Every structure is written in structure tokens, then in C-alpha cells.
Amino acid sequence: MSVDFRKLKSFVKIVDTGSVSRAASLLRTAQPALSQQIASLEAHFKHKLLIRSNVGITPTEAGLILYRHAQLMLKQIEQAQVDIDQSAKSVAGRVSIGLATYSSSSALSLPILKEMKARHPHIVVHINDSFGQILSELIMTGKMDMALIYAAAPIKGVTLQPLFREEMFLVSPPGIELPGDSSAPLPLAALQEIPLLLPSKAHLLRRLIDDALARARATPEVVSEIESVPALSAAVLEGLGSTILPASVVTETAIFSGAQVRALTKPVIDATVSLCVADHLPLSEPAIAARSVLLDVVGKLMSSHHQGIKPA
């Protein structure tokens, strides 16, 4: 009995879908054949890999370990095929890049895509800036090649390269009257009377905001928790409340057009954006090329002196 890539692919698909029947449908394989492959894997590793229940299929602890290794092996064999096919051509393949939602890095997606197309037209770039996923975990398990993330402290399983610090600003509806001189920074204590639209407490940015407000002894009214940048911009422009974001998210994208941007102080809220890669996995050739492009794009961002962007 041997462990081949077909069995590993079937195992990963069952874990991803939580169902043998759904996995069989996607793989166009008979269910008994899939079940036999899982039994073969369990016999080889001498551990139960999956738990079956009325709500679906979940991996055991041993199954989770195999799942992580299988993801890496399948990704590597896929890249090996691409590398072999393209060995006589320019760099080609796939690369996945995560961008921290609500950070200035989200405004880098278009420059990265344009530069990658110009330099490496045969590399397919996957950009991920969605909520609901912890980017560092995707990097650690090999599901994603690299990411720009907010990082306040070291994270096990990944290497962090601090790139820049970004200051947070109050973003308010057009025409709303705010306390004090409009050209002067607004103390956080003044937010006590301002309805706020913020990400949920699971987001690092929200934790930074809450900590800063606590130091300012302010308890503002959070009227909504929004985990969608388009929905957030629509709510702000509709006058439902203000939010707190890096200035470049507002100035570099059209969706916040017309919103007021006001500096905050006492205390200033800022966060470090770092390049995150796995500390135990080598980067593929396309990923190395993408990292070079990403760092160049960040360098241009720094040299253009964007509001609120500072060296790390």
C-alpha cells in the first residue's frame, strides 16, 4: 500500500467540503471509491483521520496534521508541473497575496496587479482581502504565499518583515459638523458624541481603536459593526456615522469620495503593517517574483509621502 497524490487530494477535498458525497461529486468519483481511499490512508498511518457525524465530517487531530501536510504537498506538485511546463519560458504559475482589510495595503492591490502584469504576465495573481479569514494562518498552512498584515507581535509559524506604520484618521460624512477647528487634529475624547461604524471586535484594528479610546476615557456610540469596505463607505456617505481608517484607504479609492478626513490625537492610533511569509516553507519562483514587486510597490508608497504613512 502506498500514499499517492490522488488519495491525498481526495482526503483534502473531503475535509474542505465536510462531506464524502460532495467531495465525490466535485472529484467525479464514486463515493465507495473515496471511502476506500480514506480507509487506505488510515491503515497506512495507523490513525483514524476523519470523524463522521450527523452534521458532516470533521478531521481528527491526526487528520488535521495530515491535512496541513497534504495541502503543502499538493501545492508543491502543482507548482512543479507548472515549473516543468514553463521551464523554457518566462516565470509562470500562481501566487496568492493577502492584504489586511481596512489597511493602506488594500489600496496597493491595483498597483501590485498592474506591476505584476507588466513584469510577469504569465503569473496568475490571486488577491485576498476578505474578512473572516486569519491571513497568518493561511500563510502558515501554505494556502497563501504571502500577506501584508497588521502585526503587533511575533506570530508562530511565520516571519514578519515590518514595512511601514500607518496612522488612523476619522472618516466622516460630507457636511457633518465636528468639534474644534477642522484643520486641527481631533482629540479622541471628542468622539464621545460621534456615532461610529467600526469592524467587529475580532479585527485587530478594532482592538487598537478600543484600547486608544479607553486611554482617552471615551466611550463612543458604536452604531454598527461592518465587515465590508464597500458597505462601510456607503454607510458613511449616507450619514449613518463616522469610521476610523488609514487616510490612504479614503484618498486612494473612489468609494469614499466626498468624505471628510480628520487627524486624531491624544492618543494617536497607529499600527505596523508587515510582510508575512511562512518560516518553514520555501517561496516558489512566482512567489519570489511577486515579493519583489510587492516590496517595490510599497517603496513607491513610502516615497510618495502619503498622509499618515511612516517608516516602521
Side-chain angles (χ1 to χ4, degrees):
M1 201 286 294
S2 63
V3 176
D4 57 40
F5 287 107
R6 183 171 58 90
K7 292 187 181 74
L8 292 177
K9 185 177 181 180
S10 298
F11 174 72
V12 167
K13 187 64 68 175
I14 291 171
V15 174
D16 285 341
T17 61
S19 165
V20 172
S21 61
R22 283 198 293 271
S25 176
L26 291 170
L27 294 170
R28 297 183 179 180
T29 304
Q31 290 188 46
L34 281 190
S35 297
Q36 190 173 34
Q37 290 177 33
I38 298 305
S40 178
L41 287 173
E42 290 180 332
H44 176 82
F45 289 106
K46 298 182 175 59
H47 281 278
K48 188 173 181 62
L49 300 174
L50 298 174
I51 300 173
R52 297 164 176 81
S53 68
N54 293 334
V55 296
I57 292 178
T58 56
T60 62
E61 187 64 31
L64 281 173
I65 293 172
L66 178 60
Y67 177 79
R68 289 196 293 269
H69 284 285
Q71 285 273 14
L72 299 178
M73 287 186 282
L74 292 172
K75 182 177 179 180
Q76 287 170 345
I77 199 66
E78 179 184 344
Q79 186 60 51
Q81 184 65 60
V82 171
D83 290 345
I84 292 169
D85 293 341
Q86 299 292 335
S87 59
K89 303 177 184 178
S90 59
V91 179
R94 297 178 61 88
V95 64
S96 50
I97 304 172
L99 301 174
T101 315
Y102 280 165
S103 78
S104 293
S105 60
S106 62
L108 298 176
S109 57
L110 184 57
I112 289 171
L113 290 171
K114 290 171 67 175
E115 195 66 22
M116 285 295 293
K117 182 178 180 180
R119 294 196 209 175
H120 307 288
H122 299 295
I123 296 178
V124 177
V125 182
H126 172 71
I127 298 286
N128 181 348
D129 66 350
S130 63
F131 280 97
Q133 301 184 75
I134 299 176
L135 294 177
S136 60
E137 289 186 0
L138 296 178
I139 300 294
M140 184 173 58
T141 57
K143 290 186 176 181
M144 187 171 290
D145 294 302
M146 67 195 71
L148 292 180
I149 66 171
Y150 287 125
I155 302 173
K156 184 178 179 181
V158 301
T159 298
L160 298 174
Q161 178 184 348
L163 298 180
F164 58 88
R165 294 185 66 80
E166 55 185 14
E167 184 179 335
M168 305 298 159
F169 292 73
L170 184 71
V171 182
S172 300
I176 189 176
E177 290 191 14
L178 297 170
D181 185 344
S182 61
S183 63
L186 186 67
L188 281 185
L191 300 187
Q192 185 81 26
E193 306 299 327
I194 298 176
L196 291 181
L197 312 165
L198 298 177
S200 72
K201 291 181 179 293
H203 198 284
L204 176 61
L205 176 57
R206 174 62 182 277
R207 298 198 291 272
L208 291 174
I209 292 170
D210 285 347
D211 288 347
L213 289 169
R215 281 185 281 145
R217 298 184 180 180
T219 309
E221 179 188 6
V222 178
V223 294
S224 290
E225 293 182 341
I226 302 176
E227 298 196 340
S228 162
V229 175
L232 177 66
S233 65
V236 169
L237 295 178
E238 206 47 46
L240 300 183
S242 299
T243 190
I244 297 175
L245 290 172
S248 64
V249 176
V250 181
T251 59
E252 297 297 314
T253 57
I255 58 175
F256 280 98
S257 179
Q260 297 186 64
V261 180
R262 182 88 172 266
L264 294 169
T265 188
K266 297 182 180 179
V268 169
I269 307 173
D270 64 6
T272 298
V273 174
S274 298
L275 175 62
C276 174
V277 297
D279 64 5
H280 56 292
L281 302 171
L283 289 176
S284 65
E285 192 174 1
I288 292 171
R291 180 179 61 183
S292 177
V293 167
L294 187 152
L295 292 175
D296 286 349
V297 169
V298 169
K300 291 177 182 177
L301 173 75
M302 297 292 295
S303 63
S304 59
H305 305 295
H306 278 267
Q307 187 179 16
I309 300 292
K310 300 173 287 187

